[in-house]
Amino acid sequence: MAKEQFIYSHTRQLFSTLESISQRSGVSRGKAFEDLLEACVAALAAETMEPAYFEAIKAHLEGTQGKRGVDLFPKFLAQLIEGMSEQDQDLLGDLFEGSISYGEKGQFLTPESVSQLLANLTIDVEGKRENGKTQTINDPCCGTGRMLLKAGEINPNAELVGQDIDARCVRITALNLGLRGKYGYVICGNSLTLESKLAYRIGSFYHESSNGRRRGVIREIPLEQAPVPFVSDTTRSATQDLFSDEAEPLKSSQVQEVPQNIIEVPQWLFRLEQRMGDVDSGKGTIEPAETEKEESPSTKPASDTDTTKTQKKLF
């Protein structure tokens, strides 16, 4: 196996925790990484993805409490959040490329310096809003979301839409956007054939669960709600069997069960919360909040405190 190589110092800490989880649970490093990503996404979903969470930790429950693989899951997420706070870089992407994919199938992530250059060449700084609507920025092959992150730095109010065929990259992008206060959509699918498997909505929201109100930044949504065209597996299968005598009748696509008691947090309200927080902490005086109404709702993530509380309750 190729030797691990990382660009950022905090990645080595994440890798150490990942290796410990792999050894404790008796699974491959790749399997442990995939389960970690799914569990971390679910931990930031305000209890709207509980089945996915329990499925992700199922292989890591063996052993005595405190020495199980699952016991290190919250440590990994805490290290990730701390590392992002101290070193605002794509740590998950660095971990993925340096110890998991090793460039498999020619998959190499775009260096962040190149991502910054492409964002500067592509995003019109002056034209942040078009006809009063929020600007939408799409990356049809987003990888771990590096170019979307750079685009979001140029236009913090943009709606970021990423697509990738690799579910691991999709979850990394969702975490990268959600933990950095961006909003938009991340879709797992093929941008050329329009085959899609799942979609995430990124942005701060409240969910009224059986345990009370929870705040999250990532949630899974039906593909119909994503702002990109898609072809369902049912439709494609029916098309392939169109001229077959044994073709099965087209089945109605199952409607994904999603919580209806979701309240998205508008961008202007999130800004106001941030300013109120700055005043309470003595960082400065409050400024008038921007209350301009946007056609498409903007969302922002919860504070680090709320995020930590959410993941503690789930793990």
Side-chain angles (χ1 to χ4, degrees):
M1 180 178 291
K3 182 177 177 59
E4 298 80 21
Q5 294 182 346
F6 306 115
I7 300 175
Y8 310 117
S9 57
H10 283 283
T11 309
R12 178 62 61 177
Q13 190 179 35
L14 293 175
F15 174 71
S16 177
T17 304
L18 173 63
E19 282 287 79
S20 298
I21 293 173
S22 173
Q23 294 171 6
R24 286 188 179 189
S25 302
V27 299
S28 66
R29 184 193 302 169
K31 168 65 174 173
F33 183 71
E34 292 177 13
D35 292 341
L36 266 172
L37 290 179
E38 190 162 359
C40 287
V41 168
L44 301 178
E47 300 185 11
T48 62
M49 296 175 59
E50 294 292 81
Y53 167 74
F54 287 113
E55 180 65 27
I57 68 172
K58 186 169 61 175
H60 308 274
L61 298 174
E62 295 294 329
T64 59
Q65 189 170 1
K67 297 183 179 181
R68 303 172 301 175
V70 70
D71 296 325
L72 294 177
F73 277 45
K75 179 181 179 181
F76 183 90
L77 181 57
Q79 289 175 338
L80 174 62
I81 295 174
E82 182 181 2
M84 285 183 174
S85 300
E86 297 179 7
Q87 192 177 47
D88 189 17
Q89 307 291 349
D90 179 19
L91 302 180
L92 283 175
D94 190 28
L95 178 63
F96 174 63
E97 186 176 33
S99 65
I100 303 297
S101 68
Y102 297 109
E104 66 181 19
K105 299 179 180 179
Q107 185 181 53
F108 293 96
L109 303 179
T110 305
E112 296 199 38
S113 57
V114 178
S115 299
Q116 182 69 67
L117 173 62
L118 292 175
N120 289 335
L121 293 173
T122 306
I123 309 303
D124 183 6
V125 180
E126 301 298 329
K128 292 184 178 180
R129 294 177 62 86
E130 300 176 357
N131 301 324
K133 296 182 179 180
T134 301
Q135 185 181 41
T136 299
I137 301 172
N138 177 262
D139 186 348
C141 188
C142 65
T144 58
R146 290 181 177 179
M147 281 191 273
L148 289 175
L149 289 173
K150 298 304 180 183
E153 291 177 2
I154 298 175
N155 183 359
N157 301 321
E159 184 173 69
L160 307 175
V161 180
Q163 297 164 263
D164 201 275
I165 198 171
D166 193 319
R168 297 168 298 181
C169 289
V170 168
R171 294 189 173 99
I172 292 175
T173 300
L175 290 167
N176 276 337
L177 296 181
L179 291 174
R180 285 176 169 82
K182 306 304 178 184
Y183 73 98
Y185 301 86
V186 187
I187 298 96
C188 180
N190 191 321
S191 301
L192 298 179
T193 63
L194 303 183
E195 292 176 282
S196 298
K197 298 179 180 179
L198 61 89
Y200 293 121
R201 176 74 167 114
I202 313 300
S204 186
F205 69 96
Y206 286 106
H207 170 229
E208 294 287 352
S209 71
S210 57
N211 297 316
R213 173 171 287 192
R214 299 288 183 259
R215 190 168 187 174
V217 294
I218 303 173
R219 69 180 189 272
E220 189 171 355
I221 60 173
L223 289 171
E224 292 81 359
Q225 295 182 13
V228 295
F230 74 97
V231 175
S232 67
D233 292 337
T234 302
T235 303
R236 182 169 295 278
S237 176
T239 303
Q240 293 174 344
D241 297 335
L242 187 62
F243 300 101
S244 172
D245 294 336
E246 300 179 356
E248 296 181 1
L250 180 63
K251 300 179 181 179
S252 59
S253 59
Q254 296 181 350
V255 179
Q256 181 179 357
E257 294 184 4
V258 294
Q260 299 299 320
N261 49 348
I262 294 292
I263 304 175
E264 291 200 18
V265 180
Q267 185 179 20
W268 66 266
L269 179 57
F270 180 78
R271 289 175 181 163
L272 181 59
E273 289 178 343
Q274 284 185 316
R275 291 189 175 94
M276 292 296 290
D278 291 340
V279 172
D280 293 339
S281 60
K283 293 183 179 180
T285 58
I286 187 169
E287 300 175 3
E290 297 180 22
T291 57
E292 180 181 3
K293 185 177 181 181
E294 299 180 1
E295 289 191 11
S296 58
S298 304
T299 57
K300 287 286 185 176
S303 63
D304 291 342
T305 303
D306 288 341
T307 302
T308 304
K309 288 180 180 178
T310 301
Q311 64 98 359
K312 282 183 178 178
K313 290 173 182 176
L314 285 172
F315 284 116

